[in-house]
Amino acid sequence: MDAEREALLGAAYPEVQTFCQKHGLMLEVVDLRWGLPTLEAVDHTTTDLCLEEIAVCQKLSAGPTFIALVGDQYGHCPIPRLIEEKEFQALCAQLTKNPNSLTLLAQWFWKDENAVPPVYILQPITTHLPQYQNLATALRSAAQEAERQGLISREQKHRYHKSVIEWEIEHGLLNIGSCDGDIGATVFLREIKDLNKHILDECDLPMVDLQEDGCLDMEAQNFLTSLKVRITDNHPKLLKVHFVQWSQDLVNPKNRAHAKYLKELGEQFIATVNHQILERLRYQNKGNQMLGPFFQELHHHMAQCKDKCQVFCGREELLSRIGKAITANDGINHSPLVVFGPPGVGKTALMCKISERIQDFLGQKIVLVFRILGTSQASSNSCILLNSICLQVCLAYGLPLPPAQVMAVYSGAVQFFQDLLFMVSSRNVESLVLILDAFEELNLTYGAKGLTWLPKKCPPKVHLILSACSVESRTLKALQGVVTSSEAYFEVKPLSGEQGQKMIELLLSSVKRKLSPAQRDLLWASLPECGHPLRLKLAFDEAQRWASYTLPVSLATTVQQAMHQLCARLEELHGQVLVSHVLGYIVTARYGLSEAELKDVLSLDDEVLREVYQEWTPPSKDVLRFPPLLWVRLRRDLGDCLMKRPADGFMLLGLAHRQLTEVVKERYLSGQEKTRRHHLLCEFFTGAWSQGIKKPMTLPLLGKPLNFDRKVAPQPLWFSDTVANLRKLNELPSHLANSGRIEELKKDVLGNMDWISCRVLSSGITSMLEDFALCAEHLDCPELSLIRDAVQLSRPTIDLWSFLSDKSIFYTEILARLYSFSSLYPALIGQLCHQCTRWFNAYPHPVLIPLCGFLLPPGGPLQEMLTGYHKGITAIEWSSNNKLLIVGSQNGVLVVWGMQERKSQVVHILTGHTGEVRCVKTFGQGNYAISASKDCTLRRWNLVSGKEKYVIRDGIFTDRKEPYFCCLHVDEKKKVVYSASGLKINAWNLETAEAIFHIVGDARDPWLWATVFPSSSEVVTLSKEGLVCTWDAHTGKSRSKHCLSNLKEEIWTSGVSLQKQGRIVVGSHSGSLLLVCIFGDYYHYLLEKVSTAVQLLVVSEDESLLAAGFGKYVRVFLADSKGFHRFMAVDLEHENTVEAAIIGPDNNVIVTGSLDAFIQVWSLSEQGTLLDIFDGMGTPGNMLACCGNTLVSASRNSSSFSVWDLAYNRKHKLSSPFLDRTGCAAVSHNGNYVYFPKIGDKNKITVWDSVEGEDHDILDASNEVRCLEVAEQMKLLFAGLISGTVLVFPLNSRQDVMCIPPPEAKKSVKCMALSRGEERLVIAYDNIVLVMDIRPEDPCPVIDGPTYTFYTQLPALISSIAVLTNYQVVYGMTNGEVFIYECAKSKVFPLEAPQGKVTCLEVSHKEQWAVSSSQESLLYLWDLELCSYQNSAFSRGIQCVCFSKDDKYVYSGLKDQSILVWNVSDGSLLAVQFVCATVNKIISTADGFIATTRHGYLIRERFQCPQPISASYDPLKNIKAACIIKTKKQEEILVVVRKQQGDSERVEEKQNSTNKISQVCVVI
């Protein structure tokens, strides 16, 4: 059946392989006959190996398990390799009359008394080669006679006549059962018509069995016929018969009939196999697909555990001690238990035995979580391990499953894990036991540090048992830092010599083997007093191979020597090249290789293939592969030294012992050999020689180079739309880096958008960042740093939409962050941006495509965004000496971060508080901290070990009506900690936690601020009504009370202490700033009076600068001999209330945070020049903390905090944003110029050059500017002033400014608008509207009018307005009403009134439609001819809208920092894009729009809308949305219009018009 094999290999296997890959499967064809001239092996093991492979396939395959190709040959009949003693004697008894045959049997079969029971073993074929064929004849003759006499069974007799084919079909099909549907087996039978007519005439037919003389082997033909009958009778449905017409050249490839048969065979093979795969997948998918890998992981570890427990010797005393400790700990808080010892001493077997007996120890039902770390991908990474453990515990206890969004982030997974342990403990049901073996094998995930996830104390009913290697001192030392109790450690020592001997005896007994006395003596002599179980196991592996007649050599005395001895033996059996390359590939692969991958890699290895094909040529002229049988033989001899571990959804090969890995590296991976292994793995995972691409090679027997198809698996990034090539993603970066292929690594992996998107969307951003970190030591490339940072910056969005199925979100994130660098780095970033654009161009759904960079770019001040809390952040504190940051949150958790540049990691997670953390203070050179919480406790922490020293029941938050105020002060010299709140001040001994004193305040006038002056030993408090009190810091006794008497009406709001001066500064609700001296002669005086309440006071470290925050301003003061004086003439301004401020350590900058979600950096050396604006990502800047040039910003509204570098490298700093704080910016010249009121002086208009990123001009308006409009065609800028005047500035010249005077009322201009052709200008005041005409003239346009003036005569005020060319004015009111006013007829037409203030109003370019939005977030589309709305859409907080140039679409900017695109024809939502900024104004372009944002950036985008739109397209599929559809029938709309307009002419004309359905989308 060679032709059939070649046909399937050439066409069918690749088709099935592609099908498998699309379903996340890997195809492995085990054809042990391929590539070898004969099946017969020297040691006669081939048949056994074939049957073993069938059993493996039946166990592992997710589809077909066995496929037989049956023709007209019965095939080779092997001699049994083993014959039991009784059966052998029966055979010999039949040969007593034939002494030559008896001698032959004695020569070929030697008795092995080490087997239990004894057996006779067929000797290697090289021993007596000439007599081998005679031996088979003698055995068959003896078997027939023995069966006739009843000495052996018919089946035993048939063993001597049975071919390999029949052995295989029996094991793969006939011995399984009769249920065809579940077998996964198929037999393809070739029947040659009229063969019987020619079979006797032709003696050289290659397709039948022939005897040595060339005649037909009738016995073999009879056996074949019997086999076919058995198949037909038992499994007719599994039999696929192909009839082929006889011809003389039947096997000639040019024979058309035969070629047709081969084609049909391949097609049927593909259909059959694919059907079996789908059926098996359909059955598997009945369960939970998401839990499939999880259950595979559990099965992997439990199978290993069961295997390790089969032979266990000794350790009873140690087991008993561990069991007693577990039992004693069950009801109390306790430390985890640690089992430790040197490698190979038996820790894993002990841990497995503990898991087996744990229920006996506790005497009750338990929930057991068992992992042997490092033996699978999921048990090698700390974050993935926590996910797996939490999932198992939740399933076992019936708890809600871990939220994916929380578990995706390391710190979130840690917190969930620790919370879960306490939750399980509180249920007080079954005990939870976590057993984690080989702790040193656990790799830290990206962003993790140390053992932060490991609980220092286990709650009752929760047990954690770990094992660690004592040689890995770092791991054990780290564990000792967490688990400090010596009683929690249990050392595993070597077994005694007697126990070691017993262990080997048990192992031999388990495989039904024994040793002769001489062999046993040699074995014990080789292992003097050796009690290391690994060494004993390796000795057993060698000893079990010894037959009783074997003369063994001495064994190695150490594990290292034993591993070298193993490698030497394998090289002798299989050749040095094959062994070195196979083991080298397994070790070099990042996570290991599957067997299919390994065989593919070996098929690409020319050095291995030259070694294989030295004495014969491959069976095909076009295909060259590594013979699978050679690998199976090597795998069998490797035995337990090979292990399989689950990774990427497959079982991968790895080495079971670390010592063997070290030996392989030493023997086979030194120098260039390692590079060569990496290089070939690169070729495999890039798919360089797949899909028919032929690789040249010179075969030894041919002597000339030929091109061969190696038939290796293709390696695309995506196998299907949803199945990624995880193996390629996980392996290729490492191999490219280690093989020196750096340019490929940059262009095809780390700098390739297809790769990045596939990696992020399939494995998460952490995996992509790990790839960058993995390759960092091989690269020094600023472009890649920018790409890495862009990926990291996109993390919050991707984590938020962790369930996204649309790549466009990620492509938008990357393109909008890197676009600005494309010209600076065209080769890498430019190409990456081009890849993004190309992807968008092929996108089949409506999409917005960025045409500029408008998201926060990489390479700037933002270093990291760190997260991991369930609730908002409430406190931050630096420990500058240790570069630690302590972060407290609303759920009571304190997280200690080790702050490193772009590599900050969680060091400790401190749990204990049950209420919100309100304050944290560090002391002891930053090694300790004390925290105060709303749970009324203070807790002292060791920041080095992460341990809690004590808890104080402080009680400072017992009254919920107290002011929201808390502070801590630590006096290290006097060893006192002070805690203060609105009504209490407590002092405690810092070391012993003993109370020193308590001060209780007056509930009628609570304190709003307190401080401690250690130099004068005084505690100072300030009450809401201005009572300043001092108290003795030692005793708590009152010293003095002073009232800020001259300002009795003031309500005080804030305070700050000047420790060096012994004074305080306080601020009031009315804006008073007082300097108060409380020591010596008491006095106070007014420093300054500001416009609003002082909510914030801060001083510099040297107390030379004071900053006061009031409203949206910050004023800075400089210290002088009398106190402070104003430092700068201009206040620092935000758009909203200032929440936080901090002065830099060198007094060179001040940083302010505000409710406007911006953090602003101001230069103090340059009199308040604004240096930088940091984007707070939509959350208010409530907290700021600075350590050197590192700034941390956090918010109560967010679980994330940002880390900024104030001294960042400005090499990649892009042009600064324009500083518009009013939201009334105007744009001209296709977005090249932006106009907005100047910061700090709204009487001027800043002209911003967006191309250069700088001010272009300043226009003087002489009055505060309220609104701006640009007439692009007329080249005019209109500025509406608070005085009611409208100024008109020519855009392209310095001609005189025109002025449109206000009406008599002289009220402020509310809004303005231009008609689409710019012929009309409408100006709106509170209730007055002016309509002006604009005429083009030379040298500048002329403005006439007002042509029309009208009054609204309504109590509500105008909020938005638009004008049409025909003098129709559409205006919206503050109460939500919308009207159309026809100036020519002086008629007003009210439209249906939505609720809420109309925020924006826009007319379409053809003036057929108008769109308006209100405060209640409804977007209305109005038909200006019908005076009614056609569609309405609900979108939260619409800020601005515009029509596309063709009036097909409406673009809307929302308050939630998104842009939506609507279809005008039916009101449907087409696209949603999150732009991380609130859009103030949006202007249509030829193919999209330009938008200005609150952050001062311009957004340019192209809208692409393929037609027709797919019915399955859902623009909200990546957003959690609830959609409500509202409809209004035509008649209802007409009734509304009639009520509002009576019998107006317009309604009568349009009452037969059709109105379309309205769609309302609620986006949550």
Side-chain angles (χ1 to χ4, degrees), residues 1109-1127:
F1110 56 100
K1112 59 181 182 179
Y1113 300 98
V1114 174
R1115 186 168 295 176
V1116 182
F1117 301 87
L1118 180 65
D1120 56 25
S1121 58
K1122 295 181 179 180
F1124 289 91
H1125 65 272
R1126 192 165 176 175
F1127 181 54

Side-chain angles (χ1 to χ4, degrees), residues 322-331 354-367 429-433 461 463:
I322 294 173
K324 289 178 180 178
I326 293 171
T327 305
N329 289 340
D330 194 46
I354 292 172
S355 72
E356 186 183 74
R357 295 190 184 178
I358 189 68
Q359 191 163 324
D360 297 333
F361 292 155
L362 292 172
Q364 60 183 359
K365 290 184 178 180
I366 63 160
V367 171
V429 286
E430 298 97 338
S431 293
L432 171 63
V433 182
K461 309 290 284 185
H463 302 271

Side-chain angles (χ1 to χ4, degrees), residues 107-230:
Q107 290 176 340
W108 278 96
F109 283 94
W110 293 5
K111 184 177 182 180
D112 178 17
E113 296 183 342
N114 283 359
V116 181
V119 297
Y120 284 82
I121 301 177
L122 181 62
Q123 295 304 296
I125 199 169
T126 53
T127 308
H128 310 285
L129 185 58
Q131 298 87 16
Y132 185 67
Q133 293 300 327
N134 297 334
L135 175 65
T137 303
L139 280 172
R140 289 167 186 165
S141 173
Q144 285 181 341
E145 186 62 26
E147 190 260 344
R148 189 180 65 78
Q149 296 182 13
L151 299 177
I152 62 175
S153 67
R154 183 178 180 181
E155 179 57 34
Q156 284 177 304
K157 182 203 75 170
H158 193 43
R159 290 176 63 224
Y160 301 92
H161 299 269
K162 193 182 298 186
S163 70
V164 177
I165 290 176
E166 184 165 358
W167 278 109
E168 291 173 330
I169 291 177
E170 283 183 344
H171 280 73
L173 177 63
L174 297 175
N175 294 345
I176 296 178
S178 59
C179 183
D180 292 349
D182 297 332
I183 293 177
T186 305
V187 177
F188 292 93
L189 176 62
R190 183 195 65 195
E191 291 284 6
I192 302 176
K193 295 180 180 179
D194 301 327
L195 178 62
N196 292 334
K197 297 180 180 179
H198 304 275
I199 199 169
L200 297 176
D201 300 334
E202 304 284 344
C203 292
D204 58 346
L205 293 179
M207 70 284 294
V208 296
D209 295 289
L210 302 175
Q211 297 178 354
E212 289 185 8
D213 58 3
C215 295
L216 180 67
D217 189 338
M218 291 301 299
E219 183 182 40
Q221 289 294 298
N222 291 335
F223 281 131
L224 177 62
T225 302
S226 174
L227 176 61
K228 290 179 180 180
V229 170
R230 289 172 65 194

Side-chain angles (χ1 to χ4, degrees), residues 62-96:
T65 59
F66 177 76
I67 292 175
L69 300 176
V70 179
D72 296 282
Q73 277 188 332
Y74 185 59
H76 170 67
C77 299
I79 298 173
R81 190 175 69 87
L82 301 175
I83 304 177
E84 291 185 359
E85 182 179 27
K86 183 178 178 182
E87 183 178 338
F88 187 80
Q89 291 171 352
L91 295 176
C92 290
Q94 311 311 312
L95 299 175
T96 52

Side-chain angles (χ1 to χ4, degrees), residues 11 19 172 174 183 204 283 376 388 435 443 589 594 610 672 739 870 894 1026 1079 1120 1204 1256 1273 1296 1382 1391:
F19 181 83
L174 297 175
I183 293 177
D204 58 346
Y283 172 76
S376 68
S388 174
I435 300 180
N443 299 320
S594 70
R610 275 193 289 268
Q672 289 300 310
S739 61
H870 298 306
L894 285 142
F1079 305 127
D1120 56 25
W1204 311 86
H1256 175 72
Q1273 301 169 38
D1296 292 337
E1382 287 193 5
L1391 302 179

Side-chain angles (χ1 to χ4, degrees), residues 456 478 481-482 879 882 884 896 907-908 910 924-929 941-947:
K456 299 167 182 62
V482 177
S879 168
N882 299 331
L884 299 176
V896 183
V907 177
H908 302 296
L910 310 179
Q925 297 183 334
N927 294 323
Y928 305 94
W941 310 92
N942 185 321
L943 298 182
V944 177
S945 66
K947 292 189 174 181

